[in-house]
């Protein structure tokens, strides 16, 4: 309220100066700016005085509820008159909440006016309109713009109405309270030619918002001031490809108004061929040019030597105009170029979500009626001309101050609340054609610091014809984001990366979905680019919105467990790089049963800050899809805390799959992990570090348990002091899961866990007594590529052995300690490179390999093997 107050006082000050000039030819009827805090004297207002107050230099309503109440003061002026005042209705107007300001009334009680004129503020149309009242019947004579009073919190207007001696009415308003008045229209009307009172009539409902929310100020009624000011052009509007409408701030003298020599347009348009004054609004001039305007080109109109009715002359004024017919956009002619979905913490950007659009084309577009949406909400855009190579930021209008430093911002009334990670953004034109579509996630930042908030996601190259995650990254550390400007990560280097087919999921016997690691060019895709073995035909295809997955319809239906080969021909990305792997296998999976998949390895006590994992093994001859299988734990006596596998992952017979919350954590701690054998879940059931139960649940309605393992830290190898980060491995697939002797700590030599590959302690059945062998028995460590290494192979009867391997010479002296007290795998190999403990080459001769082991019970045994170190003689 305060800012508007200061603005409208400046406007009235200028008008007041003109008013005193007007005293030379007329007199002021009354003025009241309420600075004295008293509306009962000088001038005297009568009526429902108890329902008004004058505070802070304004007249303010005070009715506590529904009422029709008024104030009026004597006023007899009716022609050659100017009425000015300020009004602010700080609520949403309606047919039950509006204000009538009577410029002329024949009755002090405005409810009983028979003849006069009044301005209505609000009403059903939320407009400012002028009415005549004749015989108690109101008639609208200047119909204002609908929806002009459009705020639910503040609607400040400076108002000016004149009626000259020829009975020409002119209604003007300043909706921004800046002093720049806009004409709402003119009309010649002499229905009423006398007046006794001026006043305010408030119509108020029982709603809470209008209570004490009517504000008035700076009433000034007097003769029209002598006009000593030259006319000005208020606006130049393009009507057609050859026509302009020039609107002045006051009526214009006809001769100068219709002189075509007084108007000149740039770009060789020259003078108009006609200039015609409007028959209803003498401030409006219609110009017609012989040369058509150029689309989307900014031109300049020079207006000169124009006089008003008082003979004041506009010497010269220039205004710009543009004829614009928006082009029809194609896909990615305008792109979503920057996304700010997480403004917390606030680093260097506004504290509000936004997106940035960029025009990649050579065309000009009007964004009026375009729609921006995310997965749950949408918002229509208002008029905004977007030129080639230009940016515009879309933001919520509650944050106008936050974005005030950016010149190219288009505000909307309800910007969709963007998800911090995982949202689907769509830009559509006013015909609901998709212009761009982005489905982003936190991983697109490619930086764990930036995905914590405060940084925008920026597109690297907005000009490529389609989009993928590799084309996005978090903004530079020093900029945080670049709303309305070229992206900090911009790089137009051509894409040379070959796309890859990453999955082929059989959704049903007649439907398969194939997905790629980036967006595929689908502009000319057809079923002829696909073929399938086994007499299977491709009958239809559907591309997903992000264009990185394609669903294919198959005929006839494929058989369960049969391996088919699907071949792709000529598929590529948007930069023309063809898919590297053009063939893949598709298999319709079997229905899993109890015991088909088994729990094979469990890490329940990870390194500090690390994550658990559960490895499962396909111990059947079936092809099984893990989609909708579940992990669970034992909680308060029941199987609970189900975690569903929400992706398609086909397990062939003998496959291993690791289920974890953080694949990268497991892979960084266990370097032998097989990357392709991981399925990452949003979370795992909580598995205690000392004991618990892991359940593997079938994807049926009964949540049938396929396998379960009740683990305990006592199952770890007894000589391990700290079991953190050491997994329990299953020894034999076919022995019972909960047989305690069927589990053992992963071997130290295997890195304490084997996620995604055969267990280090895997050993089905019994072993022979001949546990150790050496090969070749004669080796020559001369690095000639032939028998350079001695391999000492071992196979243990049971897991849990600790071993040492020592090399002795023929005199019994220790030459090399190869292994000392290491937890061994069930089978393995230790190699000797022929060097002694001093890293010197051993002499030619016979050596003893002593392989010594002991178990948890302390039983020690050893095996001796001989070998020969040989050498070539030149």
């Amino acid at each position: 309220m305060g800012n508007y107050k200061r603005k409208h006082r400046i406007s009235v000050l200028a008008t007041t100066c003109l008013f005193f000039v007007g005293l030379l030819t007329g007199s002021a009827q009354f003025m009241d700016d309420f600075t004295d805090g008293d509306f009962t004297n000088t001038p005297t207002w009568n009526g429902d005085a108890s329902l008004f107050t004058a505070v802070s230099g304004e007249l303010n309503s005070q009715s506590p509820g529904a009422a029709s109440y008024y104030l009026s003061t004597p006023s007899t002026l009716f022609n050659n008159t100017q009425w000015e005042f300020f009004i602010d209705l700080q609520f949403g107007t309606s047919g039950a909440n509006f204000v009538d300001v009577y410029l002329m009334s024949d009755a002090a009680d405005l409810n009983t006016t028979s003849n006069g004129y009044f301005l209505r503020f609000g009403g059903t149309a939320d407009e400012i309109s002028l009415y005549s009242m004749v015989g108690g019947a109101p008639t609208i004579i200047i119909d204002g713009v609908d929806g002009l009073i459009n705020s639910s919190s503040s609607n400040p207007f400076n108002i000016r109405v004149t009626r000259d001696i020829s009975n020409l009415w002119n209604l003007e308003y300043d909706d921004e309270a800046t002093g720049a008045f806009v004409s709402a229209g003119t009309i010649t009307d002499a229905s009423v030619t006398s007046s006794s009172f001026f006043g305010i009539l408030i119509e108020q409902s029982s709603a809470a918002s209008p209570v004490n929310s009517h504000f008035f100020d700076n009433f000034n009624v007097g003769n029209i001031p002598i006009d000593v000011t030259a006319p000005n052009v208020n606006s130049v509007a393009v009507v057609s490809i050859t026509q302009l409408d020039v609107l002045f701030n006051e009526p214009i003298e006809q001769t100068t108004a219709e002189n075509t020599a007084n108007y000149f347009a740039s770009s060789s348009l020259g003078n108009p061929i006609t200039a015609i004054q409007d028959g209803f609004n003498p401030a409006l001039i219609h110009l017609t040019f012989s040369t058509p305007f150029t689309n989307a080109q900014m031109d300049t109109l020079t207006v000169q030597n124009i006089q008003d009715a008082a003979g004041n002359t506009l010497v010269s004024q220039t205004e710009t105009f543009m004829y614009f017919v928006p082009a029809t956009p194609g896909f990615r002619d305008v792109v979503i170029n920057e996304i700010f979905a997480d403004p917390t913490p606030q680093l260097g950007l506004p504290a509000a979500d936004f997106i940035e659009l960029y025009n990649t084309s050579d065309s000009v577009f009007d964004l009026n009626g375009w729609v921006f949406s995310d997965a749950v909400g949408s918002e229509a855009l208002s008029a905004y001309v977007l030129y080639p190579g230009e940016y515009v930021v879309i933001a919520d209008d509650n944050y106008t101050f936050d974005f005030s430093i950016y010149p190219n911002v288009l505000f909307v009334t309800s910007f969709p609340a963007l998800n911090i990670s995982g949202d689907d953004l769509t830009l559509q034109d006013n015909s609901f054609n998709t212009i761009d579509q982005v489905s982003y996630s936190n991983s697109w930042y490619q930086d764990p610091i930036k995905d914590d908030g405060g940084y925008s996601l920026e597109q690297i190259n907005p000009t490529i014809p389609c989009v993928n995650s590799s084309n996005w990254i978090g903004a530079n550390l020093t900029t945080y984001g670049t709303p309305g400007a070229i992206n900090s990560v911009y790089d137009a280097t051509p894409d040379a990366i070959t796309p890859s087919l990453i999955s082929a999921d059989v959704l049903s016997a007649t439907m398969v979905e194939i997905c790629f690691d980036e967006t595929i060019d689908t502009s000319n895709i057809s079923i002829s680019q696909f073929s399938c073995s086994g007499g299977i035909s491709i009958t239809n295809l559907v591309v997903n919105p992000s264009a990185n997955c394609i669903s294919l319809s198959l005929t006839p239906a494929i058989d369960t467990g049969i391996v088919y080969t699907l071949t792709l021909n000529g598929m590529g990305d948007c930069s023309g790089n063809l898919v590297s792997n053009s063939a893949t296998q598709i298999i319709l999976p079997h229905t899993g049963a109890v015991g088909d998949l088994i729990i094979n390895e469990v890490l329940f006590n990870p390194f500090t800050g690390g994550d658990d994992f559960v490895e499962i093994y396909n111990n059947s001859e079936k092809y099984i899809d893990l989609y909708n299988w579940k992990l669970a734990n034992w909680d308060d006596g029941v199987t609970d805390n189900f975690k569903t596998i929400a992706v398609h992952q086909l397990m062939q017979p003998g496959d291993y799959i690791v289920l974890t919350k953080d694949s990268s954590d497991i892979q960084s701690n266990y370097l032998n992990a097989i990357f392709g054998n991981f399925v990452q879940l949003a979370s795992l059931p909580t598995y205690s570090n000392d004991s618990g139960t892991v359940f593997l649940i079938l994807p049926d309605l009964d949540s049938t348990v396929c396998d379960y393992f009740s683990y305990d830290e006592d199952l770890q190898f007894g000589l391990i002091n700290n079991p953190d980060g050491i997994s329990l491995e299953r020894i034999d697939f076919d022995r019972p899961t909960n047989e305690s002797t069927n589990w053992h700590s992963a071997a130290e030599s295997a890195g304490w866990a084997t996620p995604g590959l055969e267990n280090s302690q895997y050993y089905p059945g019994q072993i022979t007594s001949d546990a150790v062998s050496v090969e070749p028995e004669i080796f020559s460590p001369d690095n000639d590529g032939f028998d350079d290494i001695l391999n000492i192979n071992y196979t243990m009867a049971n897991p849990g052995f600790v071993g040492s391997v020592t090399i002795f010479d023929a005199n019994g002296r220790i030459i090399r300690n190869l292994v000392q007290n290491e937890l061994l795998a069930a089978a393995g190999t230790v190699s000797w490179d022929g060097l002694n403990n001093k890293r010197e080459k051993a002499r030619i001769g016979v050596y003893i390999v002593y392989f010594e082991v002991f178990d948890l019970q302390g039983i020690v045994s050893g095996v001796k093997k001989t070998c020969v170190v040989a050498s070539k003689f030149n």
Side-chain angles (χ1 to χ4, degrees), residues 8 20 62 112 134 212 221 263 269 297 383 393 439 486 499 614 617 639 666 698 731 740 788 823:
H8 84 251
F20 284 116
Q62 294 294 301
T112 64
V134 179
N212 303 340
V221 180
Y263 310 91
L269 295 171
Q297 176 177 288
V393 175
S439 297
I486 187 171
V614 175
Y617 173 76
T639 306
I666 304 301
L698 287 166
I731 297 171
S740 62
D788 289 326
L823 179 61

Side-chain angles (χ1 to χ4, degrees), residues 244 334 396 663 818 823:
L244 297 178
V334 176
D396 195 286
S663 301
L818 290 177
L823 179 61

